DNA sequence: CGTTAGCTTGATTTTCATCAATACTCGTGG
DNA sequence: CCACGAGTATTGATGAAAATCAAGCTAACG
């Protein structure tokens, strides 16, 4: 899994939030849960991550949670024998690291160079009374994540390889659209290995399936990490099962 | 999937909560999120469900959410072509039906005859300001559900049939223990078909795997729906992967 | 006591994993 | 600028796990 480790709390690569310490000009301002809050700006700090760096590990004390500003993270769970499953990708404006436990229950690692905005759990509890609105926002966003998790279970349990890949691409397209990022050549921030793991497949099967979708003229692959949708109808069809 | 439909809101089979309308002697009082609240008792009503009855469906307006009092529910998602995936079982004291959307995003059906305690979403919003504590409880419980969902993804994506089944049994044992229900002959409230679907397998594979675990002297099956753990060590070992 | 739904067992097929090369891409240094 | 090498992706051949197809079995219920 990841190489470097930066547990947020004690990482030296932190600095004041945004360009000048205010949320209102934060890159993800309009999508992130913290958008609702003016005073929150005093509570966070920005953490810079290099590609493959670990933000937190299972078992670490869950003292912080995070909003992704730029780049992307991967969330995964590990089996004792080394097998693991990526349970989600976290894109800009989305948050990660809330846990009902004292410690984190999964791993968060940077897929690319990334920056995240750190919040202290203790601050969350403290301001709860004042900034009730945020509690609601967090609950809503957690529910959104849960909904996505359940869709992913349907994918893992019941879909065939081409359906899985189509579904994955459609999901990425939707999220890119939602955060106003380019979709025509859609960028895949993750490797084939990450895609394969996320979909419960192997690298080889993902690769074969990519070439299959390409030869069926459903997508084009101008580069390994760029996808162009040729037949959106067929892709959506596949993605639906 | 289910037969009858009872969307909670307009179900006639409702009555006042508990034996006498107070939460404090509710059967799940000590485990349910509502335990923290005294005033909540005025806000709910009890809904009785028959086995296989539907509590809510994907697309229904999400006007209520529920705590299970007795029995068990199954939560599932449906693919257009009829394939579906059970994403979770809901046991007494656990809640279900919170959604960030306007409508429910999955199906909830009774595995057995069951009773659930209904809360109105509007009440949740209204009392939010006063009963902040509950918001935190809901967030915590939602995070617990999310954690379980992620563990389930690991199971669906990376485990082999015997590991899946062992993991499922261990999970049920833990939950039965947590709510002080019998574990020695552990009752399986769900059919082989439900287990199979939940684990991303077929009925046949589950059946074969049960007989395999039995002939390996890891479990005994005094009846189809009763499991006795013979070699807990081996079972835990398998469940861990 | 027969019927039916749910479970088990067996035979065959399918999908995907595994094993094994081969090709591509990008960065480095001659 | 090109050759080399390492990491990543593709392609091919084979094998294994679980799905599918097809009977039987069991137990509960009329």
């Amino acid at each position: 899994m990841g190489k470097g480790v930066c547990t947020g709390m004690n990482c030296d690569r932190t600095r004041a939030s945004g360009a000048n310490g205010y949320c209102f000009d934060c890159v993800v301002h309009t999508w992130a849960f913290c958008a609702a809050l003016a005073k929150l700006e005093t509570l966070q700090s920005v953490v810079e991550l290099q590609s493959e760096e670990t933000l937190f590990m299972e078992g670490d004390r869950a003292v912080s949670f995070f909003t992704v500003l730029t780049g992307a993270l991967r969330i995964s769970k590990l089996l004792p024998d080394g097998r693991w499953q990526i349970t989600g990708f976290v894109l800009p404006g989305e948050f990660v690291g809330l846990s009902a436990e004292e410690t984190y229950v999964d791993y968060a690692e940077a897929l690319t160079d990334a920056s995240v905005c750190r919040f202290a759990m203790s601050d969350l509890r403290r301001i709860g009374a004042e900034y009730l609105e945020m509690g609601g926002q967090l609950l809503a966003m957690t529910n959104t994540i849960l909904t996505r998790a359940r869709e992913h279970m349907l994918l893992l349990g019941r879909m065939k390889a081409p359906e899985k890949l189509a579904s994955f691409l459609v999901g990425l397209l939707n999220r890119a659209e939602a955060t106003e990022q380019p979709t025509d050549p859609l960028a895949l921030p993750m490797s084939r290995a990450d895609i394969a793991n996320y979909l419960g497949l192997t690298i080889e099967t993902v690769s074969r399936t990519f070439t299959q979708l390409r030869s069926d003229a459903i997508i084009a692959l101008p580069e390994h990490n760029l996808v162009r949708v040729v037949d959106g109808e067929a892709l959506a069809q596949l993605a639906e099962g």
Side-chain angles (χ1 to χ4, degrees), chain A residues 31 69 71 91-92 173 175-186:
Chain A
W31 316 301
L69 302 177
L91 302 183
L173 280 166
R175 286 162 81 181
E177 241 164 43
T179 55
E180 292 161 14
Q181 289 179 287
T183 59
D184 190 348
L186 174 73

Side-chain angles (χ1 to χ4, degrees), chain A residues 65-127:
Chain A
F65 63 103
F66 308 88
T67 294
V68 174
L69 302 177
T70 61
L73 306 184
R74 115 187 118 220
I75 309 302
S76 57
K77 287 198 65 87
L78 190 59
L79 237 32
D81 69 354
R83 283 178 289 177
W84 79 100
Q85 174 70 45
I86 297 175
T87 56
F89 296 114
V90 191
L91 302 183
E94 302 176 339
F95 83 95
V96 65
L98 258 195
S99 153
E101 319 289 318
E102 279 293 292
T103 57
Y104 296 112
V105 292
D106 36 30
Y107 292 76
E109 296 151 306
L111 281 174
T112 61
D113 289 354
S115 55
V116 303
C117 190
R118 184 178 94 78
F119 300 92
M121 283 296 296
S122 53
D123 284 336
L124 175 63
R125 290 195 201 93
R126 185 165 56 70
I127 67 168

Side-chain angles (χ1 to χ4, degrees), chain A residues 136-150:
Chain A
Q137 289 259 4
L138 283 176
L139 183 56
M141 290 184 76
T142 302
N143 271 303
T144 301
I145 295 173
L146 183 57
T147 299
R148 198 177 289 153
R150 291 196 150 139

Side-chain angles (χ1 to χ4, degrees), chain A residues 9-55:
Chain A
M9 191 61 180
N10 32 26
C11 179
D12 54 336
R13 233 175 297 91
T14 61
R15 58 175 173 78
S17 97
N20 56 13
Y22 290 98
C23 285
F24 73 82
D25 62 351
C26 167
V27 280
V28 298
H29 180 272
T30 40
W31 316 301
F33 71 96
C34 37
L37 291 168
K39 288 262 184 74
L40 208 62
E41 66 195 44
T42 60
L43 301 174
Q44 24 60 331
S45 62
V46 172
V47 180
E48 305 281 352
L49 296 170
Q50 295 182 325
S51 177
E52 295 301 313
E53 202 173 22
T54 299
L55 180 60

